[in-house]
Amino acid sequence: MHSPATHAATPTPGASDDPLQRERDHLAASRAALRAMRQDAESLDISDVAGSWVTQQVLHNQIQRRIAALADLLHTPLFFGRLDFLHAISTDASEGAGGERFYIGRRHVHDADGDPMVIDWRAPVSQSFYRASRKDPMDIGKRRRFGYTGGELTAYEDENLSDPAELETASALLAAEIEKPRVGPMRDIVATIQPEQDEIVRADVGGTVCVQGAPGTGKTAVGLHRVAYLLYAHRDRLAKSGTLVIGPNSSFLSYIEQVLPALGELDVAQATVQELVAHVEVRGTDSAPAARIKGDARLAEVLRRAVRAGITLPTEPCVVVRGSRRWRVPVYELVEIIEELASREIRYGAAMEALPQRISHAVLLKMEQGGEAPDDRVQDAVARSREVKAMVKACWPPVDPAKLVLRLLSDAEFLAASAEGILTAEEQAEILWAKPGRSVKTAPWTAADAVLVDEATDLVQRTPSLGHVVLDEAQDLSPMQYRAVGRRCTTGSATVLGDLAQGTTPWATASWPEALRHLGKQGAHVEELTTGFRVPEEVIAYASRLLPAIAPGLAPATSIRTGQDTLTIRHTPDGLVESVVEACRTALQQEGSTGLIAADARIPLFEAALAEAGLAFLTPGTETTAEARLTLVPASLAKGLEYDYVVLDEPAAVVAGEPDERTGLRRLYVALTRAVSGLTVLHEQPLPVQLG
């Protein structure tokens, strides 16, 4: 990166001659202009707007969202960069070296005349801030970065991209922004987006992008910023179809929920996969083999057969009485209609709705042949007639998806018929409920069963598609879960984020092409991020020793954070719990957040130990504050979270807490890579041999 020294704030007399003060003046003027924009929105009067009450409510809601989006977050920099172009890029050239000057920020701000004071980071002109370099300056003479403390502008740093004499150095402000302590929820990275990240963020809305990212490479932030960019570039399109962010659990969603509002986007929904498929109440758990089978894509064909198992061909004609006449549709015609509908592979419910109309049409043809002239009203009346309804119910009966799956998992004969040639007898026995419930409400539904109900629901009636879906921690999804997500973006696009090395479920993704096939996005482009911006190099190098055992095809990640003494490994044969508590106390003396990660089975042990030591602690998903900065994290919930300092208890227990060694080592890899500034590993048992 091309960057000279940083200029810090100094109390200089004559503020107008101080470059830093001029930038502060522009910041103050920009904040005033933003307040004026908000006041303009608040003063809008729609009481006399023509239209219905519904129209006024829609307008009122739109105005309220506009007002909320114009909120000035005092501790969030309104702009973080400046571009001085060498040449004018519009007919109205402003100040600069013969060109124009633009301040780049989180949202657009204009003055009373409509002239821009801050340019939205998503605007085309802002792309140069992220991608311009010494090799390709993109007509940028100077790129300026700003440093802030709280909401106060305290420093700036210039990169003279057009000056061949200036030396190539790293950006101190960029490094400082990346290394800020992690207190509170996840922050946006809009000021620090790197060129390879920006390419993903600005990829076309029509295509699906899959990002394989090692820990700390910013893949989650990239996905969230991509949503914000797409809403800016294609707002009309996505406002109608909707956007959705899917995360692995509620703790993760709580951690990231402030990123999009900070970028001015308030209407993006968030959910877990389990929330998407909440057709039944989950009250049971599967064994690992049963969950693996239920998550297998073969179950889609089993369910398709089960849904269509009730279709039967008629053995008697359909006779419709109209007035004094009787109209007869013979058996062979009915068979042809039903077989044709069945062969088209349309949704079961859509075919069931079409069948009475098809039979009615056959009746109308006979009426015309008999000299009558029926119209559409007659066809609708025939379709609703008692005789036609009875025929449809007998041949194409309605299907309740939950009741169907209940029968499939309770009735061995029905399962055998539906799974013949697909599942072995042993596999069928594995997924059958030992104690089935008598009804949908009392059935022992598991998380995997809920996905099956969702699949059956889609076989009956098409699932509405969203415009764009971001799927994070995707490596942990089963093929059937991928199908559930894919149904939500059949006519839209997706951003798939994950790391194959962090797959910790029995059905964890083996390869991205396979996952994308189940998602229905076979043509997606796969990008790999290997440069880390969060995890220190010393820590990521240590964790990467596990890669040959957990993901041999992945290249080890590197990190721009090369600080020393970021990793401490300590063998504690006596008093491990006390040593862990003391390590937490030491970490809390530093600025930032601390996470104590332990195997799930050892969490109650540390709840008691921390309470006895007088150390207040939070649970994952709870926002850290200046007063409460220690979070006790079960290893199963650590994925996607980050803390300035991590204390990791007994790696062997983390590995042993999983059903097999490979999954356990992957869980350990996740735990090792949650630290931003320092990692302390304490152990009594021997470390896994893969760690050397």
Side-chain angles (χ1 to χ4, degrees), residues 291-308:
R292 190 179 295 110
I293 296 167
K294 290 179 180 179
D296 196 300
R298 293 177 296 165
L299 265 293
E301 176 60 21
V302 174
L303 287 167
R304 191 196 71 83
R305 291 183 184 180
V307 166
R308 292 173 171 264

Side-chain angles (χ1 to χ4, degrees), residues 341-626:
L341 282 175
S343 67
R344 289 174 56 190
E345 292 295 334
I346 61 175
R347 294 297 192 280
Y348 186 90
M352 187 176 68
E353 293 174 359
L355 182 55
Q357 291 292 332
R358 297 290 294 274
I359 296 175
S360 178
H361 180 69
V363 172
L364 260 64
L365 290 178
K366 298 186 183 304
M367 287 182 176
E368 291 173 349
Q369 293 170 0
E372 296 191 10
D375 56 18
D376 291 343
R377 290 175 297 176
V378 174
Q379 180 167 340
D380 290 340
V382 172
R384 295 193 302 269
S385 67
R386 176 174 55 82
E387 298 88 352
V388 172
K389 284 184 176 180
M391 179 61 66
V392 171
K393 185 176 181 180
C395 297
W396 205 288
V399 169
D400 181 292
K403 290 181 179 178
L404 178 89
V405 178
L406 173 66
R407 181 186 173 194
L408 192 69
L409 298 176
S410 306
D411 186 337
E413 291 185 3
F414 184 51
L415 176 60
S418 301
E420 184 180 0
I422 300 176
L423 300 179
T424 65
E426 292 75 17
E427 288 174 323
Q428 294 174 34
E430 188 68 50
I431 65 174
L432 273 171
W433 287 333
K435 296 180 179 179
R438 295 182 178 180
S439 67
V440 170
K441 290 186 177 181
T442 62
W445 298 109
T446 67
D449 297 335
V451 180
L452 299 183
V453 175
D454 190 71
E455 180 83 24
T457 301
D458 185 71
L459 288 166
V460 174
Q461 200 70 42
R462 183 183 297 276
T463 304
S465 175
L466 297 164
H468 192 80
V469 169
V470 173
L471 175 61
D472 205 353
E473 301 297 348
Q475 74 281 342
D476 280 334
L477 268 60
S478 70
M480 292 299 286
Q481 288 175 318
Y482 277 118
R483 290 176 60 88
V485 174
R487 286 192 283 277
R488 272 74 185 178
C489 55
T490 50
T491 60
S493 55
T495 300
V496 181
L497 313 167
D499 180 10
L500 297 180
Q502 297 186 57
T504 52
T505 55
W507 47 81
T509 301
S511 72
W512 291 121
E514 177 187 348
L516 293 167
R517 178 171 58 83
H518 295 309
L519 192 68
K521 304 294 182 183
Q522 294 92 325
H525 180 60
V526 180
E527 293 278 357
E528 187 170 3
L529 297 177
T530 58
T531 301
F533 305 95
R534 174 175 58 79
V535 185
E537 176 66 29
E538 193 176 11
V539 174
I540 195 64
Y542 182 68
S544 294
R545 297 181 185 182
L546 297 172
L547 287 179
I550 62 177
L554 293 184
T558 59
S559 177
I560 67 169
R561 305 189 63 183
T562 57
Q564 299 299 311
D565 301 322
T566 56
L567 173 65
T568 300
I569 304 169
R570 190 181 308 150
H571 180 224
T572 310
D574 298 308
L576 177 59
V577 173
E578 292 77 9
S579 297
V580 168
V581 172
E582 188 58 33
C584 291
R585 195 187 302 276
T586 300
L588 288 171
Q589 295 174 5
Q590 308 295 321
E591 184 182 6
S593 59
T594 297
L596 166 54
I597 303 178
D600 291 27
R602 290 172 64 83
I603 291 297
L605 183 68
F606 285 107
E607 289 176 340
L610 292 173
E612 183 178 350
L615 292 180
F617 60 91
L618 306 169
T619 57
T622 305
E623 183 175 338
T624 57
T625 64

